Amino acid sequence: MSLNRSMLLVSGNSPKRLQDAAVFNPGLLVLDLADEVKDEDKDSARLLVREAIRFLDYEKVKLAVRINTLKSGFGTKDIEVISRVKPEAFLIPQASVEQLQDVEIMLALAEKEGALESGGIKLIPVIETVKALDGISSILSVSSRIVGAFFNADGLAKELGMTRTQEGDEILYARSKVAIACRAAGLNSFDTVFTESNDEEGLLKDARKARNLGFTGKAAINGRQIEIINHVFA
């Protein structure tokens, strides 16, 4: 996967957002089956995402799907169903060496059964736990499918009981470690989202900080943020 400047995360449970997301021109469009979808809606969201990939016009964007963790009970089915429509990549939440190894086995089987290109679907581990941050180098080297990492500061903050601020001093070490590890491995790195969607000046400042730390791109949950992110990482 070539260098991407921006990642737009879109709920897999919202038909309107699935239909409209590509117009914002993100480097990578991520259809989310995990954080943005309640447990009782997981099965319907999975089918909705599958049909969106089949029938909506995503030709101008690279497309990935954030699946659920394997331990949640939903991740295995996500891989079985979504791999058949050949997304560019899967985002793996709460990434660990063990989980990525299991995903690798499942993907290889799904590609064989679906007569798909072996190794064609890539992986982007989500670094959002203390364990993942501590072992990021091992995570990035566990599979040849891995093309980058996404740092989710909200997940890390929840585990550590931190309060996130716009200045981001509390996540500086974690950000730096993710960016440097990805650069050392020759992989893409997506910085965490800037949650104040109406603060363009704050986003610009935060994106510049991420770029200066070594990230190759930044994630967003609002399509209006993509233009600024693309400009900063151009």
Side-chain angles (χ1 to χ4, degrees), residues 112-186:
K112 183 177 181 179
E113 291 179 345
L116 305 174
E117 176 191 357
S118 178
I121 299 175
K122 306 305 181 183
L123 296 175
I124 300 175
V126 183
I127 308 302
E128 55 187 343
T129 66
V130 171
K131 184 177 180 181
L133 184 65
D134 185 53
I136 185 170
S137 295
S138 296
I139 285 173
L140 295 180
S141 63
V142 75
S143 170
S144 60
R145 294 178 186 266
I146 294 175
V147 293
F150 165 40
F151 171 51
N152 178 17
D154 288 330
L156 186 66
K158 183 178 180 180
E159 183 176 356
L160 291 175
M162 294 190 305
T163 299
R164 283 194 63 190
T165 64
Q166 284 201 16
E167 293 75 17
D169 293 341
E170 68 283 350
I171 59 171
L172 177 59
Y173 168 74
R175 273 176 139 176
S176 300
K177 186 165 185 176
V178 173
I180 290 171
C182 288
R183 284 292 178 124

Side-chain angles (χ1 to χ4, degrees), residues 9-176:
L9 296 152
V10 175
S11 172
N13 201 34
S14 172
K16 177 172 175 50
R17 293 198 68 195
L18 291 175
Q19 186 171 5
D20 296 344
V23 303
F24 295 105
N25 194 34
L28 185 66
L29 175 59
V30 179
L31 312 185
D32 190 8
L33 295 174
D35 288 2
E36 297 295 318
V37 181
K38 297 178 180 178
D39 284 358
E40 58 266 29
D41 297 326
K42 298 286 191 186
D43 293 335
S44 59
R46 184 187 304 117
L47 297 178
L48 182 60
V49 165
R50 182 190 67 183
E51 296 309 294
I53 296 174
R54 279 179 171 173
F55 297 113
L56 294 182
D57 183 10
Y58 292 138
E59 291 185 3
K60 295 181 180 180
V61 297
K62 292 183 182 295
L63 190 68
V65 175
R66 176 157 62 171
I67 65 171
N68 292 279
T69 62
L70 299 185
K71 66 180 181 181
S72 72
F74 298 107
T76 299
K77 193 66 175 178
D78 292 341
I79 293 172
E80 291 175 355
V81 172
I82 303 301
S83 62
R84 301 306 176 95
V85 291
K86 298 182 292 185
E88 293 269 354
F90 283 130
L91 270 70
I92 311 300
Q94 298 180 27
S96 67
V97 169
E98 296 77 14
Q99 183 175 207
L100 285 162
Q101 288 173 333
D102 290 340
V103 168
E104 173 80 45
I105 293 170
M106 293 177 189
L107 264 181
L109 179 60
E111 288 171 341
K112 183 177 181 179
E113 291 179 345
L116 305 174
E117 176 191 357
S118 178
I121 299 175
K122 306 305 181 183
L123 296 175
I124 300 175
V126 183
I127 308 302
E128 55 187 343
T129 66
V130 171
K131 184 177 180 181
L133 184 65
D134 185 53
I136 185 170
S137 295
S138 296
I139 285 173
L140 295 180
S141 63
V142 75
S143 170
S144 60
R145 294 178 186 266
I146 294 175
V147 293
F150 165 40
F151 171 51
N152 178 17
D154 288 330
L156 186 66
K158 183 178 180 180
E159 183 176 356
L160 291 175
M162 294 190 305
T163 299
R164 283 194 63 190
T165 64
Q166 284 201 16
E167 293 75 17
D169 293 341
E170 68 283 350
I171 59 171
L172 177 59
Y173 168 74
R175 273 176 139 176
S176 300

Side-chain angles (χ1 to χ4, degrees), residues 215-228:
F215 282 94
T216 62
K218 186 171 179 62
I221 54 175
N222 190 309
R224 297 195 306 272
Q225 296 177 314
I226 295 299
E227 184 177 1
I228 290 175

